[in-house]
Amino acid sequence: MNDFSTDWIAAGEAELADVVALRRAIHADPEIGNQCPRTTAKLRAALDGLPLEIHESTSTSGFIAILRGGGDNGRTVLLRGDMDALPMPEETGLDFASQVPNAMHACGHDSHCSMLVGAARALAARKDSLPGTVVFMFQPGEEGHHGARFMIEDGLLDVQRPDSAFALHIYPNARAGAIQTRPGALLASTDALNFTIRGAGGHAAMPHDAMDPIPVAAEIVTALSVFIARQIPATDPAVLSITKIDGGSAYNIIPDEVQMLGTLRTLSAKTRQKAREGLKRIAENIAAAHGCTAEVRIDDGYPVTMCDPRAVSLLKQISEDLEPGQWQPMPAPIMGGEDFSYVLREVPGAMAFIGVAPEGSDPAHNPPLHNTKMTIEESVMAKGIAMHCAYAERFLENGFD
Ligand SMILES: [Zn+2]
Ligand SMILES: [Zn+2]
């Protein structure tokens, strides 16, 4: 039964035109990394005049905006929107396509932060009826730059400690308006792997006088897939991909060394630890067995994105109340990663995907996230605004009860 204080879908529709305009302005002027000053300026201008308390991040261009409700029952809810783009060209042909060479909003963060502005406006207009506090987190640097972690290290979660947190991510391969998530692991941890296998170069015709690192690299690649298949439980999986092998310069020269890059994805801290230790051990020992050395550097990526089952139940209820039939529980996690995981590590909450397949398209065949032709159905942003507002209202009123 729908017992919202407001018709949030209608409130979202009322904000839509402005939010679409904001999203297009941000889309045309994308920025990458932890410093997105032009995007921050557009967001701040769009929030100007609202009864919000702004706290800036000192290490990024991000900020939080605090909305204090008419009542204060002690509860605080955090809503997050990221704002950074990707280092890639845009090929959508849209008339508001990127004007910045090699930068594109191909992950939809332009829509995320714009929807959050819409939610801030809609909630601010009804602030007297809110029984607690809403924190809006506008965050750069999601695409591998740990923006959320920097904002947390800046102390921004402690300004007004949230009791729950929620974020939405658009998904072009789900029908418009569908809401998808799952309790527990939603997205994987993401570690970057760097291998340097060192031997001794020489003439390709006399390998016995050299120490050839190339077959050693090949053996390590094969052994790593055996390690994952035989040592990592199928019920708590890991994905390990070697994505770059770089060594050698000519057909008759054995090189000194081979460099390899890869990524490790897991769904639990336990398997993450086991896989990190194991891959290092295998690379080092295979190299040693052949008289070479392997140096393995693991760059910490994002933690696993864990959704609190109570937050997911709340989202299911909200989704069904706002628009029946659009709730689509996900049977399995996705092995991609997301830095909202840093927030969810500290605050119980959830992230959900919202389908944005353009009108008339076949969701399964739309250009996916991170594709040069990725587009979204902008009208869905009204529902995205409604989801944010409804989550805030329900959580502030009832907590997880
Ligand atoms: Zn992305
Ligand atoms: Zn993203």
Side-chain angles (χ1 to χ4, degrees):
M1 192 191 100
N2 189 338
D3 59 354
F4 294 116
S5 67
T6 301
D7 178 348
W8 289 117
I9 294 280
E13 299 285 357
E15 302 296 337
L16 186 63
D18 285 351
V19 166
V20 165
L22 177 62
R23 182 252 162 174
R24 291 183 178 195
I26 293 171
H27 190 90
D29 188 17
E31 295 177 287
I32 294 162
N34 282 321
Q35 300 300 334
C36 301
R38 300 191 304 275
T39 310
T40 297
K42 291 180 185 76
L43 295 167
R44 291 285 296 271
L47 295 170
D48 196 33
L50 297 181
L52 300 168
E53 206 181 291
I54 306 282
H55 297 261
E56 291 175 350
S57 161
T58 48
S59 56
T60 75
S61 67
F63 63 97
I64 61 167
I66 301 177
L67 175 69
R68 299 189 191 282
D72 185 8
N73 62 8
R75 286 198 189 103
T76 296
V77 65
L78 180 144
L79 306 173
R80 177 273 212 164
D82 43 10
M83 63 166 90
D84 59 315
L86 285 154
M88 59 190 282
E90 174 161 354
E91 298 177 316
T92 58
L94 294 168
D95 52 10
F96 55 90
S98 171
Q99 301 294 307
V100 181
N102 215 36
M104 176 188 175
H105 270 292
C107 203
H109 301 182
D110 51 344
S111 64
H112 301 167
C113 57
S114 301
M115 286 190 282
L116 198 59
V117 167
R121 287 184 181 176
L123 286 165
R126 298 157 182 85
K127 82 181 187 64
D128 292 343
S129 62
L130 290 176
T133 305
V134 188
V135 176
F136 302 93
M137 178 179 181
F138 291 92
Q139 180 223 304
E142 192 289 320
E143 295 289 357
H145 305 276
H146 302 260
R149 175 163 65 77
F150 283 114
M151 289 184 70
I152 293 168
E153 286 170 4
D154 288 344
L156 290 172
L157 274 190
D158 301 319
V159 176
Q160 175 74 35
R161 193 79 194 167
D163 303 294
S164 182
F166 171 59
L168 260 186
H169 201 297
I170 58 122
Y171 199 61
N173 302 109
R175 69 163 189 268
I179 302 292
Q180 304 179 325
T181 188
R182 68 192 305 281
L186 175 67
L187 292 156
S189 64
T190 62
D191 292 322
L193 311 176
N194 299 263
F195 301 81
T196 305
I197 297 126
R198 287 198 184 89
H203 199 296
M206 286 156 285
H208 55 280
D209 289 333
M211 198 77 85
D212 188 353
I214 286 186
V216 177
E219 198 174 321
I220 290 172
V221 173
T222 310
L224 288 176
S225 57
V226 174
F227 163 68
I228 296 294
R230 302 288 80 191
Q231 298 288 315
I232 300 298
T235 47
D236 185 7
V239 170
L240 194 164
S241 295
I242 297 298
T243 52
K244 184 177 181 182
I245 302 183
D246 185 12
S249 57
Y251 77 94
N252 57 356
I253 303 170
I254 290 171
D256 282 325
E257 62 176 50
V258 173
Q259 301 270 357
M260 303 199 299
L261 296 181
T263 185
L264 173 68
R265 309 292 169 114
T266 68
L267 298 171
S268 76
K270 194 173 162 202
T271 288
R272 187 184 190 187
Q273 192 53 31
K274 183 173 185 183
R276 285 164 62 117
E277 285 166 10
L279 70 91
K280 207 165 178 289
R281 185 179 69 239
I282 280 165
E284 287 170 356
N285 284 292
I286 287 176
H290 291 287
C292 293
T293 61
E295 196 183 301
V296 183
R297 198 183 81 226
I298 302 175
D299 295 330
D300 290 349
Y302 298 158
V304 179
T305 303
M306 283 286 180
C307 295
D308 190 295
R310 297 167 300 170
V312 173
S313 308
L314 185 57
L315 280 172
K316 177 183 179 187
Q317 212 182 78
I318 289 166
S319 173
E320 287 299 321
D321 286 352
L322 286 178
E323 205 181 349
Q326 294 281 51
W327 174 251
Q328 295 182 341
M330 289 165 60
I334 295 174
M335 299 309 273
E338 163 65 53
D339 79 346
F340 188 54
S341 53
Y342 288 115
V343 176
L344 291 181
R345 202 162 62 168
E346 303 217 11
V347 180
M351 173 170 233
F353 293 99
I354 182 165
V356 290
E359 173 101 30
S361 68
D362 174 1
H365 294 107
N366 286 334
L369 294 172
H370 293 209
N371 185 286
T372 54
K373 295 191 169 74
M374 201 282 290
T375 59
I376 71 167
E377 175 58 48
E378 290 177 314
S379 62
V380 175
M381 290 196 290
K383 175 153 184 200
I385 296 167
M387 287 294 297
H388 281 295
C389 294
Y391 190 88
E393 181 192 297
R394 281 277 165 88
F395 183 80
L396 291 182
E397 281 176 358
N398 305 316
F400 285 131
D401 296 339

